[in-house]
Amino acid sequence: MSDELRDLYQEVILDHGKNPRNFRHPPEANRHAKGHNPLCGDQLTVYLTVGEDGLVKDAAFEGRGCAISTASASLMTEVLKGKAPEQVKALFDNFHYLATGAGEAYPFAGLEDDLERLEVLAGVRQYPMRVKCATLAWHTMHAAIEGEDKEAVITE
């Protein structure tokens, strides 16, 4: 990765970390889950408003965490809005691959721009402790979208 590109990615992460988008508790949210990373203390709650058609109408979060954790949650809430269940799953799977290298990335029509936006977090793959920070919001969102009434705790 070029120094110029790395600097741009760091700027995006710092911007979302300091000025997170969708940092709120929407009163109309009908799904939520709590997430916790006991290794660093990051904690957040993801709120989703899912319509009868299964589309994510709104996505937001609250909590506290490092810049990477906050930036990941902020970017995630931006790309989830308007997505169908199969698109949400594809975003989750592709982000997990992007951040960890585990599993498999696969093209999904219509998500190219969203996946490109998430590329800013690909550098965490080199730092295992930071992978947990980046994936916390995503595991929490997965629990919320599935309607699971449990806390997503990042342990691996």
Side-chain angles (χ1 to χ4, degrees):
M1 176 185 307
S2 72
D3 288 342
E4 190 175 295
L5 191 55
R6 187 177 302 114
D7 290 346
L8 173 64
Y9 287 172
Q10 287 176 348
E11 284 180 37
V12 172
I13 290 170
L14 288 174
D15 180 41
H16 277 269
K18 289 180 181 178
N19 305 298
R21 283 50 155 196
N22 303 304
F23 189 82
R24 59 192 165 75
H25 179 172
E28 67 282 356
N30 54 12
R31 304 216 184 143
H32 75 278
K34 295 180 183 288
H36 180 228
N37 180 349
L39 297 173
C40 67
D42 292 354
Q43 294 183 324
L44 58 82
T45 303
V46 171
Y47 302 99
L48 302 173
T49 305
V50 179
E52 289 182 24
D53 56 3
L55 295 179
V56 176
K57 306 292 185 198
D58 194 13
F61 75 104
E62 290 182 319
R64 60 180 167 74
C66 68
I68 291 175
S69 177
T70 302
S72 182
S74 178
L75 286 161
M76 178 192 75
T77 59
E78 287 190 325
V79 301
L80 287 179
K81 292 179 183 178
K83 300 298 188 281
E86 63 275 5
Q87 292 173 307
V88 171
K89 180 180 180 351
L91 282 168
F92 177 84
D93 290 344
N94 279 287
F95 182 78
H96 191 265
Y97 174 78
L98 175 83
T100 67
E104 187 176 330
Y106 58 95
F108 197 95
L111 297 181
E112 297 84 4
D113 290 343
D114 295 321
L115 294 171
E116 186 175 314
R117 289 188 67 205
L118 297 172
E119 285 276 335
V120 298
L121 294 164
V124 300
R125 186 187 295 188
Q126 299 171 7
Y127 307 97
M129 295 302 290
R130 304 319 256 159
V131 167
K132 294 168 179 57
C133 299
T135 59
L136 175 63
W138 291 84
H139 286 286
T140 306
M141 176 277 297
H142 189 265
I145 203 86
E146 295 294 321
E148 298 174 5
D149 188 22
K150 66 179 185 178
E151 183 175 36
V153 178
I154 304 299
T155 57
E156 49 182 58

